Amino acid sequence: MSTTFQLDTSTSRANPTPQPMRRLTVPGVRARKQDGVTAEPLVMLTAYTARQAQLLDAHCDLLLVGDSLGQVIYGLPSTIPVTLEMMANHGAAVVRGSYHSVVVVDMPFGSYEASPEQAFESAAFLLKQTGAAAVKLEGGAAMAPTVEFLNSRGIPVMGHVGLTPQAVNVLGGYGARGRSDAEAEKIVSDAIALDKAGAFAIVVEGVVEPIAIAATKAVSCPTIGIGASAQCDGQVLVTEDMLGMFERVPRFVKRYEDIAGVIDRTVARYAEEVRSRTFPGEEQTYQPKKG
């Protein structure tokens, strides 16, 4: 179902006209996996702005306001410097720009690891400020008590195992996880711990495919793969990566378009017309009324 747009001339912003469709819910997402099977895989992409959310919303089940915005939007070297305020501001924009998808907001590094109480304070802040439906946090069995604490207090949680970018300094890089038997066993046991703690879904990132499949089969909640396996219960990518906005992307990214090339060619045309004084033309300027 498409979204139509009306131009608000007072603000010059395109505002969506909602279609007769209710927003998906966290229980609805969780229920997509029945008896270990997800008949229709979940579609998830990252979103950071209202306009981006408008364009993605009708095609997705979930929109993730990822802490990847640190690199994608702010040009930071990693997700480590991202703050709660950054996540709240972008999360609110994505909620305003969507009407269909479940919006999930990443909890940034340092906002939840110290204790379940700290995590609750941070998560409550994000949900209040954004209107999002859920939060996502990284970590496996060590975070299971926090997931249970939040879930029992009305905050739905999406887990995240395997390659966890916030732990890049411990992991030593962004390489695939699960190549050793010990690491593979830990990834599966982490997923099981989060599932038992009440996570409604779990992102499985950057792991060798057999381990992603094993983790998916081991849990009752949906898994959402990124650099994992098509046999996960859903998939997520950073939208700018799959649209071809960056030259360097992880090997698991499929570029569906070359938007960077489109922008480059379009701006080159604009610059040429400005320098040749062919833009603006009569149709883009205000002429005196005749008569």
Side-chain angles (χ1 to χ4, degrees):
M1 182 174 293
S2 64
T3 303
T4 58
F5 298 93
Q6 293 179 336
L7 186 65
D8 182 344
T9 55
S10 65
T11 63
S12 297
R13 292 175 182 162
N15 294 315
T17 301
Q19 299 293 326
M21 177 185 288
R22 293 181 60 188
R23 190 183 289 272
L24 292 174
T25 65
V26 165
V29 169
R30 174 66 183 81
R32 289 280 281 273
K33 187 171 186 176
Q34 296 290 335
D35 298 323
V37 177
T38 301
E40 182 181 359
L42 293 158
V43 177
M44 183 162 127
L45 284 170
T46 59
Y48 314 116
T49 67
R51 181 56 175 152
Q52 188 179 40
Q54 290 171 352
L55 296 172
L56 302 179
D57 187 49
H59 307 286
C60 294
D61 301 301
L62 304 106
L63 293 176
L64 173 64
V65 187
D67 59 359
S68 50
L69 62 81
Q71 292 132 308
V72 174
I73 301 295
Y74 292 96
L76 295 169
S78 72
T79 62
I80 302 299
V82 173
T83 66
L84 273 173
E85 289 71 23
M86 287 180 184
M87 299 309 304
N89 290 336
H90 289 275
V94 170
V95 170
R96 286 194 295 268
S98 62
Y99 67 92
H100 166 66
S101 302
V102 172
V103 177
V104 182
V105 181
D106 259 337
M107 296 183 69
F109 178 75
S111 69
Y112 62 93
E113 296 92 337
S115 68
E117 290 78 13
Q118 182 207 27
F120 178 82
E121 182 177 351
S122 298
F125 172 80
L126 288 175
L127 296 193
K128 285 182 177 182
Q129 294 294 314
T130 66
V135 297
K136 181 172 78 65
L137 55 78
E138 295 183 7
M143 287 294 110
T146 296
V147 172
E148 184 174 8
F149 189 88
L150 296 181
N151 191 58
S152 66
R153 286 159 177 78
I155 299 180
V157 181
M158 176 179 286
H160 186 148
V161 301
L163 173 59
T164 47
Q166 292 177 9
V168 62
N169 291 324
V170 172
L171 297 175
Y174 296 98
R177 319 310 300 180
R179 295 195 182 280
S180 70
D181 290 344
E183 192 174 54
E185 183 178 345
K186 184 178 186 305
I187 291 169
V188 175
S189 62
D190 280 344
I192 293 172
L194 293 175
D195 183 39
K196 290 182 177 178
F200 75 92
I202 302 171
V203 170
V204 180
E205 178 172 0
V207 304
V208 294
E209 186 170 31
I211 307 311
I213 295 171
T216 298
K217 291 180 178 179
V219 299
S220 60
C221 69
T223 60
I224 299 176
I226 176 168
S229 173
Q231 293 189 46
C232 290
D233 302 299
Q235 300 295 324
V236 62
L237 284 174
V238 171
T239 299
E240 283 77 2
D241 287 345
M242 58 89 75
L243 290 178
M245 289 290 286
F246 297 106
E247 290 78 16
R248 295 181 62 187
V249 295
R251 64 166 292 173
F252 55 75
V253 172
K254 178 178 179 178
R255 284 192 177 96
Y256 285 83
E257 190 52 85
D258 178 27
I259 297 301
V262 171
I263 292 173
D264 181 68
R265 293 188 295 273
T266 303
V267 175
R269 286 174 52 205
Y270 166 72
E272 180 182 358
E273 291 185 10
V274 169
R275 291 174 179 136
S276 66
R277 298 189 185 278
T278 59
F279 175 83
E282 184 174 351
E283 63 274 20
Q284 288 95 31
T285 55
Y286 299 98
Q287 302 299 319
K289 292 184 178 179
K290 297 179 179 180

